[in-house]
Amino acid sequence: MSSTTAAPKLSPERIFTTLFAYQQTFALKASIEVDLFTAIGEGANEPSLLAKRCKVSERGIRILADYMTVQGFLRKENGKYQLTQESAVFLDRRSPACMGSMGNFLADEENVAHFARLAEAVRKGGTASSEGDNSKPLNERWVGFAKAMGPMAVPMAGVLTQMVKSSGEQPIRVLDIAAGHGMYGITVAKNLPNVHVTAMDWPPVLEVAKEHAKAAGVAERYSTVPGSAFDANLGQGYDYVFITNFLHHFDIPTNEMLLRRFCAALKPGGTALTVEFVPNEDRVSPPMAACFSAVMLATTDAGDAYTFAEYERMHRAAGFKTCTLHHVPDLPEQIVSAEK
Amino acid sequence: MSSTTAAPKLSPERIFTTLFAYQQTFALKASIEVDLFTAIGEGANEPSLLAKRCKVSERGIRILADYMTVQGFLRKENGKYQLTQESAVFLDRRSPACMGSMGNFLADEENVAHFARLAEAVRKGGTASSEGDNSKPLNERWVGFAKAMGPMAVPMAGVLTQMVKSSGEQPIRVLDIAAGHGMYGITVAKNLPNVHVTAMDWPPVLEVAKEHAKAAGVAERYSTVPGSAFDANLGQGYDYVFITNFLHHFDIPTNEMLLRRFCAALKPGGTALTVEFVPNEDRVSPPMAACFSAVMLATTDAGDAYTFAEYERMHRAAGFKTCTLHHVPDLPEQIVSAEK
C-alpha cells in the first residue's frame, strides 16, 4: 500500500474501464446531440447557463460536462468549462472541420447491435446479423453513412488531390467507386479544375453525393452511375479510379473480381487509388488499422482489414502492373496505388 | 508531415476512437464468453489451436485475439499469443482472482441500453428508463449483479477487514445493507472468526449471498434479513454497518433518511463504513470516481457520485458524531467511516 513501492500494483482497473468503455461512446454522442460543445464555445460555461442554452436539465448537463472533462474533451477551472483545441476544431458545430455527425454512423444503433453479438460472429466467422452481404443494396445504412461521414474524408481527400497528376489543360476523368458522401472525388474536383468525376453508388446514396457536389460548386463536373460495383456499367477510359473504404467489405476472391472490373474501366497507364485501413504484417499494428478487422468481423459476412501484401496479390491477380503502398502520416488510413 | 515537427498535429483520431469505444467493451466481453484467455493460458497460442479449443471459427478468433492484443490484454510474438500478467490474473478462468464475470453486469444489455439513451437522461435529469427507482425491488437486475460482481469486492473487503476492530473474544455484529453478492461481509467474517454478519437484501438476492457464505465456510455466522433498506426490520445493537455501493443510487434527502435508519441499528459507539465512488470537490477527479456520476445519471432517477463534503453533511444530518474519509490506494472506491 506504500506509495514508494517500485512495481505498479496489479489492478483490475483497466478491465473495469474497458467493460465501461461503451459509456465513453454514448457520452460523446449525447454531448454532440445536445450541442454541448457549441454551447460552451459560445460562452455558456456553467451548468445553469448550459441547461438554458441546451434546453436540458442542469443536473444532467453538469454530470455530462464533468464526464467529458474527465475524458479530456473539455477543461474545467473554478467550476467553469472551456473547450479544448480538439473539441473547438472538431466538435463545435460552428467549426468548418466539425466531425460531430460521425457518431450517427460509427455508433449508430445498428453498428452497436452488431458488435454486441461479437461472440456469435467469432463462432461463425462473420457477422451475426443478416445484413452482412454488402453486394446487396442496404440503402438506409449507406445513406446514413453518406450523411454522417463526409467530414472524416476531407483530410485524406487532400492527400488524394496531391496524388492526381493534373499538369496541363486536358480533362482528367475520375471514377469514384461506391462514392457514398462523395467527398473524396468532390474534394479533388474542387481543388483541380480539370478533374471530372463519375460517382457510382446506389441511387438514394448518390442523391447525398450530388447535394455535396452542388454545395462544393463542382456539380457541372460531376456525373453519376447508379448501381453496384458488381454490375453497374462503369464505362471506360478513366485516368483514375478511387476505391475508398470499399474493398474491406469483401473476401479476397470477390475483391480480385471487383479489381478486374475497375482495371477494365481505366485507360492504359491509368491508376487505381485505394484508401484503406492497412495493418502491418503482424496484424496488431498500427492500432486503428489493426482494430478495423474486428469491425469487419462484426458487421460483414467476410470482410477484413487486409495487409499490403494481400492488397498487392489482389491487384496483381486483377491485372495491375504495379502496386505501391503510400504511408499517410497522421491519418488512420493509407493509400494503395496501382497502375494498369 | 515531418516527424521532427514539435507540436502534435491536431487530429480527430481520439474522437473516432471514442465513438468506437463500445467495441472495446464488446470485444472484451466476447473474449471472456468464448474463453479466449483460459485457452491461451492452457497453451492454445495460435488461431488454429484456439479455434478448436474455443469451438469457434479460426478467422473469428484470429481477428478477436489480434484486437485484444492491440488493446494490451494479450501479447503476440511470431504469430503466437501469450497472456499478459493482467489477463493471467484477472481474465483466465482458472485464476482465483478472475473477474471475467463482471462483464455480465457492467456491460449487460440493460446498462448499455440505458447509456444509449444518455441524451434523454441529460434532458430529463435522470434515467430515461422506467427502472430508475432503486427503492423498488428489481430482482432480476440485482441477482445478476450479485452473481457477476463478487470478485470486484474482494480487494476492498480486505481493507474493510483491517478497519474492523476485533481484538478480544467477544462477538462483533455486522449489518450488511443491500448485501448483493455478500462478499464484503463474507470476506470480513472469513478473516475474523468472531464476526457475525446479518445480510439485508431482497430474498432472491440473498439466496446468492447465502451460497457465497456457504462456499466461504461462514454460513454459521451468517444470517439474513429479507427486504429493503427502506422498510426491513434491521434490528439493533450492531457494532458495524456496511453500506457498500448503495447510497449512490439515491438523492441526498433519501440518503439522510436511510442513514438515520442505519444509525438507529448501531449500538452507541458503533461505526458505519460506507464504500463509495467519492470524487474530489472539483467533480472531475479521480477519473473513475468522477465518471461514476454519469453511470448514476444514465441508470437511476436521482443517484450520484457524492463528494466527501456531501457525505459528511448527510452523516451529520443523520445523527452520526464523526465522519472521516479513508483514501484507499490502488482501488477506485474509498471508505467513509462514521461513528454513532
Side-chain angles (χ1 to χ4, degrees), chain A residues 3-27:
Chain A
S3 60
T4 58
T5 308
K9 191 161 173 155
L10 202 60
S11 146
E13 181 170 330
R14 221 169 63 90
I15 294 168
F16 189 92
T17 304
T18 301
L19 290 171
F20 263 6
Y22 66 92
Q23 301 178 351
Q24 296 179 32
T25 299
F26 292 126

Side-chain angles (χ1 to χ4, degrees), chain A residues 82-98:
Chain A
Q82 293 168 45
L83 297 183
T84 61
Q85 201 190 354
E86 178 188 43
S87 56
V89 171
F90 297 120
L91 295 169
D92 183 328
R93 211 170 15 81
R94 302 167 308 159
S95 161
C98 182

Side-chain angles (χ1 to χ4, degrees), chain A:
Chain A
M1 310 286 263
S2 158
S3 60
T4 58
T5 308
K9 191 161 173 155
L10 202 60
S11 146
E13 181 170 330
R14 221 169 63 90
I15 294 168
F16 189 92
T17 304
T18 301
L19 290 171
F20 263 6
Y22 66 92
Q23 301 178 351
Q24 296 179 32
T25 299
F26 292 126
L28 177 52
K29 255 192 97 171
S31 302
I32 293 165
E33 188 176 332
V34 304
D35 221 7
L36 173 64
F37 301 105
T38 312
I40 294 175
E42 289 175 352
N45 60 4
E46 291 178 329
S48 59
L49 300 171
L50 285 166
K52 265 185 218 162
R53 170 63 183 71
C54 299
K55 299 187 174 63
V56 297
S57 73
E58 184 171 333
R59 164 183 152 77
I61 202 75
R62 181 262 294 171
I63 291 175
L64 183 64
D66 283 344
Y67 186 94
M68 296 314 291
T69 304
V70 178
Q71 301 302 328
F73 290 105
L74 295 175
R75 267 193 294 270
K76 185 182 186 184
E77 272 167 43
N78 304 318
K80 295 190 196 299
Y81 303 101
Q82 293 168 45
L83 297 183
T84 61
Q85 201 190 354
E86 178 188 43
S87 56
V89 171
F90 297 120
L91 295 169
D92 183 328
R93 211 170 15 81
R94 302 167 308 159
S95 161
C98 182
M99 301 211 172
S101 62
M102 285 200 306
N104 294 333
F105 179 76
L106 297 179
D108 74 344
E109 211 172 317
E110 199 174 5
N111 274 324
V112 173
H114 290 355
F115 245 93
R117 296 170 71 185
L118 188 59
E120 213 177 321
V122 171
R123 288 193 188 99
K124 186 179 163 187
T127 180
S129 95
S130 59
E131 299 205 327
D133 177 358
N134 283 273
S135 70
K136 303 282 189 311
L138 300 164
N139 286 328
E140 198 181 338
R141 178 164 181 73
W142 294 113
V143 168
F145 171 87
K147 289 185 174 167
M149 294 298 288
M152 186 77 184
V154 174
M156 180 57 94
V159 182
L160 282 182
T161 303
Q162 293 166 22
M163 293 184 73
V164 170
K165 294 186 192 86
S166 68
S167 57
E169 297 283 304
Q170 64 191 61
I172 294 167
R173 294 180 60 217
V174 171
L175 173 63
D176 193 354
I177 296 293
H181 42 67
M183 291 311 291
Y184 293 102
I186 289 165
T187 305
V188 171
K190 198 176 166 183
N191 290 323
L192 305 174
N194 52 340
V195 161
H196 291 244
V197 174
T198 302
M200 186 233 85
D201 214 317
W202 290 305
V205 183
L206 284 178
E207 292 306 312
V208 183
K210 281 195 269 188
E211 276 171 41
H212 290 165
K214 202 175 158 188
V218 302
E220 288 178 17
R221 290 181 282 125
Y222 203 76
S223 52
T224 56
V225 173
S228 102
F230 289 81
D231 47 33
N233 180 357
L234 302 175
Q236 52 190 7
Y238 293 98
D239 298 276
Y240 292 92
V241 54
F242 291 178
I243 312 160
T244 58
N245 290 311
F246 179 67
L247 298 175
H248 58 230
H249 293 100
F250 309 105
D251 64 18
I252 287 174
T254 304
N255 282 337
E256 289 180 1
M257 182 273 285
L258 289 166
L259 285 168
R260 267 191 295 274
R261 278 175 59 79
F262 306 153
C263 193
L266 283 169
K267 72 178 190 187
T271 303
L273 294 175
T274 292
V275 172
E276 271 297 349
F277 294 95
V278 184
N280 296 328
E281 291 302 317
D282 65 9
R283 288 194 183 276
V284 293
S285 65
M288 283 178 72
C291 284
F292 199 75
S293 277
V295 181
M296 291 300 99
L297 175 64
T299 62
T300 71
D301 286 346
D304 208 340
Y306 295 105
T307 63
F308 175 63
E310 288 170 325
Y311 275 121
E312 193 173 25
R313 280 196 296 275
M314 290 182 231
H315 280 84
R316 297 276 185 186
F320 287 93
K321 280 190 193 148
T322 68
C323 190
T324 311
L325 179 66
H326 302 264
H327 284 280
V328 181
D330 303 318
L331 289 179
E333 292 153 295
Q334 299 180 19
I335 297 174
V336 175
S337 76
E339 278 178 47
K340 182 175 181 175

